Amino acid sequence: MTHLPARRLLLVHAHPDDETINNGATMAKYAAEGAHVTLVTCTLGEEGEVIPPELAHLAPDRDDTLGPYRVRELAAAMAELGVTDHRFLGAPGRYRDSGMMGLPQNDRPDCFWQADLDEAATHLVGVVREIRPQVLVTYDENGGYGHPDHIQAHRVAMRAADLAADPGFRPDLGEPHTIGKIYWNCLPRSVVEAGFARLREAGLTFGGIASAADLPGLVGDAEVAARVDGRPYAAEKSAAMRAHATQIAVDGPFFALSNDLGQPLLVEEFYRLVRGEPGPGERPENDLFAGVEGPGTAEVGA
Ligand SMILES: [Zn+2]
């Protein structure tokens, strides 16, 4: 029998780096506060574009060794965030990165986009019933911005939440567990636009500036259910982003992906609540666990 902390947070992401870009400050905050933070990453990100020229040989059309390299980047990022429980869906490399929507890689039989939904979700059911999280964080139904692996991660996370709660589903995977609150990542348009205004004023070194419309999960302010103030964890988030060096270039409070278009590095992180009730207190909520924090520790495992 293992004892886990009273507060347990599960995040489901598509590729190494998505967790830090979307939720790095949230993960650092809850880890620092003693919550159990579990990250499940669905692919190794084998199809990512490589930024540093000296690492270009890792690319899928050359050595095709970007996946194992990104496993190490993710481990380094998690060390920066203080997160010790990070896993890959099924096993490392079980599902391959599907590449951007419309590419031939989408049709590879081993890619995540082609995965059987219930089979993929079953791997996650085992994690849910083991960790018994009160809170799940994943993407919206468009995966934030339409990448097939993000859409699939959304589907797998939502399906696993349902299956994990169903006492008739695979009792061998543990006692059923209902996740109290499910959040989807989002970005309020007002915050993003203010961030881009800072970026234009700063005049930085990237090749250009992204547009707000390129960012995932843009919503109106009224749709934001929770805002996590990660400002005390800005340094941790920035360091974790730097750890994903094949994918992210960081310049102070800004960063760019492989398109070399600058965007603001946000340390306040935003969520829509799609299952469960908001906790008592202020709106938007400032604590993902508001209203669902369980008493004491959980006894998990056999
Ligand atoms: Zn991704």
Side-chain angles (χ1 to χ4, degrees):
M1 190 73 74
T2 310
H3 293 270
L4 287 177
R7 298 190 298 171
R8 298 173 304 278
L9 169 65
L10 172 65
L11 303 102
V12 177
H13 276 291
H15 312 110
D17 80 355
D18 292 315
E19 77 298 325
T20 300
I21 295 169
N22 286 281
N23 311 111
T26 300
M27 294 170 75
K29 168 187 154 72
Y30 284 114
E33 291 178 359
H36 189 85
V37 178
T38 301
L39 169 68
V40 174
T41 307
C42 297
T43 78
L44 305 187
E46 294 94 332
E47 296 289 335
E49 288 183 44
V50 177
I51 295 175
E54 65 275 18
L55 296 174
H57 63 92
L58 300 172
D61 57 350
R62 293 179 61 186
D63 300 348
D64 197 14
T65 50
L66 183 55
Y69 194 90
R70 292 183 72 179
V71 171
R72 296 196 295 277
E73 288 186 334
L74 181 62
M78 292 306 95
E80 298 290 356
L81 299 181
V83 171
T84 54
D85 185 6
H86 51 96
R87 316 164 182 212
F88 289 93
L89 186 67
R94 171 66 183 81
Y95 298 104
R96 186 177 167 100
D97 186 337
S98 310
M100 290 293 191
M101 189 65 90
L103 294 180
Q105 290 90 321
N106 299 172
D107 299 322
R108 282 181 63 136
D110 57 346
C111 84
F112 190 44
W113 187 235
Q114 296 293 335
D116 178 85
L117 180 59
D118 279 0
E119 184 192 319
T122 299
H123 296 303
L124 192 56
V125 168
V127 178
V128 171
R129 289 184 178 171
E130 174 196 339
I131 301 300
R132 315 188 75 72
Q134 293 99 338
V135 178
L136 167 67
V137 168
T138 190
Y139 313 108
D140 64 26
E141 60 272 74
N142 185 40
Y145 72 113
H147 190 295
D149 293 327
H150 288 235
I151 294 171
Q152 189 79 307
H154 160 86
R155 292 174 179 164
V156 166
M158 299 306 287
R159 181 74 177 139
D162 287 340
L163 292 174
D166 177 355
F169 181 76
R170 292 288 302 268
D172 57 304
L173 294 177
E175 293 291 314
H177 175 72
T178 301
I179 298 169
K181 290 167 102 177
I182 301 179
Y183 290 99
W184 293 346
N185 290 306
C186 69
L187 289 171
R189 192 171 283 102
S190 61
V191 170
V192 168
E193 284 172 357
F196 277 111
R198 290 195 301 274
L199 182 57
R200 281 189 295 271
E201 265 168 44
L204 47 88
T205 52
F206 299 120
I209 294 180
S211 86
D214 296 333
L215 298 197
L218 275 196
V219 297
D221 291 7
E223 289 181 66
V224 174
R227 167 190 157 276
V228 172
D229 182 0
R231 284 175 294 182
Y233 302 95
E236 285 82 353
K237 178 166 181 171
S238 181
M241 288 181 71
R242 289 173 195 275
H244 289 293
T246 62
Q247 305 300 306
I248 304 173
V250 178
D251 183 0
F254 308 109
F255 74 100
L257 303 174
S258 62
N259 59 15
D260 198 29
L261 298 177
Q263 52 178 292
L265 196 170
L266 300 175
V267 292
E268 291 174 290
E269 293 168 345
F270 302 89
Y271 302 90
R272 292 161 67 191
L273 179 63
V274 297
R275 197 170 295 178
E277 296 299 323
E282 64 179 278
R283 297 285 181 272
E285 300 174 292
N286 59 15
D287 177 11
L288 302 184
F289 289 95
V292 290
E293 189 169 345
T297 58
E299 292 187 347
V300 300

